[in-house]
Amino acid sequence: MALPSRWENCILEATDTAPQWPRACVYTVLTGDYEALNEQPALKASRLPCYCLTDNPELTSESWEIRPFSPLLPFDPVRSQRDAKIQPRHYLPPDVDLSIYIDNSVILKQPPEALLSAMHRPGQSVFFAHSYRNTLSEEFLEVMRDGLDDSSRIFEQFNHYKACGEGLLDDPVIWTGFMIRDHTARGFDSFSRTWAAHVMRYARRDQLSVNQALRQSQTP
């Protein structure tokens, strides 16, 4: 089944029994020295491997297995972080085919097995709508207003996406701080490559480009 062409908030429902997910993992990515690694108490009850991909080999954690990696762009830790976030198959162990990605600022309240039981569907990846911005156009305006990246890149990206037509800028905003991705999903590799390319070419704010990457990677 292809990556979903629609996305919406999922409602988490508690489950008494959770299936085993032998080829799944949880991961986060931390590069540069601008923030400390957050611990995840909910991971202590999980049987899944939980990886922190980082460029700091001295990092330690009680809830994450530290996995150092060489940044794609040594002088651009943000885009290096984005590449590891967006293209998990290049950075995670080869036997992983299902991953839960969480930003370092996100704290899980339940073990990841409960999230998978409630939300995962085989052959699909799960994305979530942004909590308080409705359209991609609004997201662009917010990023521009707050100066979160180079203004010329953002303006160019906005104009290119506007020229693409087909209502892209009216799409709902996808929150990329938490994603459940099935690496075997149809079109997944194309989606990941395209999304990473847009982040390297345009703004490093990956929520601006995920919709376009999904559109480009859709298969009949």
Side-chain angles (χ1 to χ4, degrees):
M1 186 177 293
L3 285 163
S5 57
R6 296 174 60 87
W7 39 87
E8 57 187 12
N9 284 322
C10 291
I11 299 174
L12 178 61
E13 297 179 355
T15 55
D16 295 329
T17 59
Q20 298 300 309
W21 308 93
R23 297 174 65 84
C25 80
V26 184
Y27 82 106
T28 191
V29 187
L30 194 66
T31 57
D33 300 320
Y34 57 90
E35 62 180 331
L37 177 63
N38 283 322
E39 298 293 347
Q40 297 283 345
L43 296 184
K44 294 180 180 179
S46 175
R47 297 181 180 179
L48 299 181
C50 304
Y51 303 123
C52 173
L53 309 180
T54 180
D55 60 350
N56 180 7
E58 304 301 320
L59 197 63
T60 60
S61 173
E62 296 180 358
S63 49
W64 296 102
E65 177 184 334
I66 304 301
R67 293 181 66 90
F69 74 98
S70 297
L72 177 68
L73 302 170
F75 297 102
D76 192 339
V78 175
R79 284 191 173 83
S80 296
Q81 189 272 349
R82 299 294 191 270
D83 195 64
K85 170 183 177 178
I86 290 169
Q87 302 200 82
R89 285 164 68 101
H90 292 182
Y91 295 88
L92 295 175
D95 61 339
V96 171
D97 57 21
L98 176 64
S99 63
I100 298 177
Y101 169 82
I102 59 173
D103 276 350
N104 184 51
S105 60
V106 175
I107 303 298
L108 295 179
K109 294 183 178 181
Q110 295 199 33
E113 287 90 341
L115 301 174
L116 291 174
S117 295
M119 301 176 187
H120 176 248
R121 300 296 179 269
Q124 294 187 0
S125 293
V126 180
F127 302 92
F128 301 86
H130 199 281
S131 298
Y132 48 91
R133 282 191 287 280
N134 296 318
T135 68
L136 190 57
S137 181
E138 291 179 12
E139 181 74 0
F140 266 99
L141 291 174
E142 183 71 16
V143 171
M144 290 184 205
R145 183 166 43 244
D146 292 347
L148 299 177
D149 204 343
D150 179 78
S151 59
S152 62
R153 284 198 191 216
I154 299 169
F155 189 68
E156 181 184 37
Q157 185 176 9
F158 179 88
N159 284 333
H160 285 181
Y161 287 1
K162 185 176 181 180
C164 289
E166 299 181 356
L168 173 63
L169 294 174
D170 295 323
D171 277 357
V173 183
I174 297 174
W175 177 54
T176 62
F178 179 91
M179 299 177 286
I180 300 175
R181 287 173 291 176
D182 189 326
H183 305 179
T184 68
R186 189 178 178 189
F188 181 78
D189 288 338
S190 173
F191 161 64
S192 299
R193 287 194 304 269
T194 302
W195 190 13
H198 279 251
V199 170
M200 300 302 161
R201 172 62 178 82
Y202 297 115
R204 61 193 184 185
R205 304 292 297 183
D206 54 64
Q207 289 183 168
L208 298 179
S209 50
V210 62
N211 298 62
Q212 177 63 10
L214 279 167
R215 283 172 173 251
Q216 287 185 230
S217 62
Q218 291 299 313
T219 53

